[in-house]
C-alpha cells in the first residue's frame, strides 16, 4: 500500500525567515554531500524562476542526486551497476513547495513531497485539504528537531542543537520538548510535509517504502536542525543575496561532483536499463 505520511516540523523562526534559511541550507547541504566523500553528490541541471499556473511565482530546480554507497546493501543486487542517480524536480513557490523524486531504473517508483509553511505550531489538521479517503490513509508524525533520533547521522559534522545559541537572534539552545516551553515573544513556524511514497514492486515493496519513510524523516530532522543552527550565517541576508549564494554553491557542487569523476549525468543507455524486480499488478 502506498505510504501517505504527514510530517510536522516546527522551527523557532518566522515563515519569512525560514524561506531564506531553507534556500541557504539546501544549497549548503548540497555542497556537503559532495565533500563527505561517501559516493554521494549532486548535479544541478536547472535552477530558474518559474510562474506556475496553480502555485504562483517561485524557483524551479532539477537535480540528479548520485547516491552510490547510500543504497542499502539488501537492494543493490536488484539494481544495474550503472543505476546510481535519483532525479528530483522541485517547485519552490513559497510558502508552498512541491517536490517529485523518481528513480529511472524503476519507472513506477515515485516520492511526492508537498509542503505548506505556516506561522503556527503545527495545529492545523488538514492544511493540504485532503479528501476523506486520503485523510483516513494519512498518518501524522510530529518531528521534534531537538530530540535525539535513532537514525544514523547523515553528515559527520552536524551541529548540536542542544548547545547552540544564536549570537544574532539570542535563540537557543533547544532541548527536547522545546515547543511547549517556547517564550511568547519567540517566533515559531511549522512545515507541514505531506509525503507520498509508492514503490509497486513485488517482494520488496514494504521494506523499501519503510526505508524511504525513515530516510525522509531523518532528512527533515537534519535539514531543519541545521537551518536553525546556521541562522547566524543567513539571518542578515536578503533574498537576492541568498539566491546569489545558492547559485554559486550549486555551481560549485556540480563542478566538484564532475571533477571527482565518480559522477556524471546518466546517459541515455543507462536510463534504458531496468532492474530485476517485478512490478506488482494493478
Amino acid at each position: 500500500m502506498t505510504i501517505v505520511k504527514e510530517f510536522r516540523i516546527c522551527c523557532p523562526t518566522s515563515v519569512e525567515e525560514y524561506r531564506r534559511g531553507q534556500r541557504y541550507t539546501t544549497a549548503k547541504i548540497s555542497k556537503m554531500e559532495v565533500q563527505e566523500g561517501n559516493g554521494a553528490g549532486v548535479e544541478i541541471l536547472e535552477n530558474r524562476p518559474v510562474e506556475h499556473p496553480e502555485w504562483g511565482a517561485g524557483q524551479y530546480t532539477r537535480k540528479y542526486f548520485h547516491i552510490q554507497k547510500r543504497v542499502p546493501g539488501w537492494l543493490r543486487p536488484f539494481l544495474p551497476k550503472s543505476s546510481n542517480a535519483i532525479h528530483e524536480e522541485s517547485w519552490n513557490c513559497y510558502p508552498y513547495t512541491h517536490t517529485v523524486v523518481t528513480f529511472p531504473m524503476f519507472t513506477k517508483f515515485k516520492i511526492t513531497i508537498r509542503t505548506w509553511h505556516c506561522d503556527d505550531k503545527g495545529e492545523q489538521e488538514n492544511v493540504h485539504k485532503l479528501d476523506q479517503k486520503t485523510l483516513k490513509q494519512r498518518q501524522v508524525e510530529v518531528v521534534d528537531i531537538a530530540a535525539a533520533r535513532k537514525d544514523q547521522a547523515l553528515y559527520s559534522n552536524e551541529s548540536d542543537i542542544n548547545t547552540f545559541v544564536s549570537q544574532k537572534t539570542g535563540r537557543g539552545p533547544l532541548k527536547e520538548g522545546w515547543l511547549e516551553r517556547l517564550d511568547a515573544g519567540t517566533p515559531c513556524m511549522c512545515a507541514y510535509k505531506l509525503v507520498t511514497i509508492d514503490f509497486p514492486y513485488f517482494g520488496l515493496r514494504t521494506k523499501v517504502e519503510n526505508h524511504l519513510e525513515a530516510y525522509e524523516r531523518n532528512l527533515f530532522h537534519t535539514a531543519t536542525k541545521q537551518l536553525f543552527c546556521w541562522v547566524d550565517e543567513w539571518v542578515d541576508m536578503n533574498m537576492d543575496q541568498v539566491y546569489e549564494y545558492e547559485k554559486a554553491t550549486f555551481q560549485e557542487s556540480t563542478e566538484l561532483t564532475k571533477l571527482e569523476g565518480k559522477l556524471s549525468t546518466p546517459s541515455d543507455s543507462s536510463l534504458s536499463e531496468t532492474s530485476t524486480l517485478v512490478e506488482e499488478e494493478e
Side-chain angles (χ1 to χ4, degrees), residues 24 30 41 103 107 121 151 180 213 217 229 234 246 251 270 282:
Y24 178 93
S30 294
F103 197 174
T107 57
K121 296 181 180 181
D151 307 285
E180 300 173 0
E213 178 187 347
R217 178 192 301 110
C229 291
W234 57 259
E246 179 185 65
Q251 182 177 353
S270 69
E282 297 284 341

Side-chain angles (χ1 to χ4, degrees), residues 39-43 66-68 84 257-258 260-265:
V42 61
E43 288 184 73
H66 298 267
I67 51 178
Q68 292 187 346
N84 64 357
T257 294
K258 292 179 178 179
E260 293 197 9
K262 59 188 178 186
L263 314 165
S264 61
T265 302

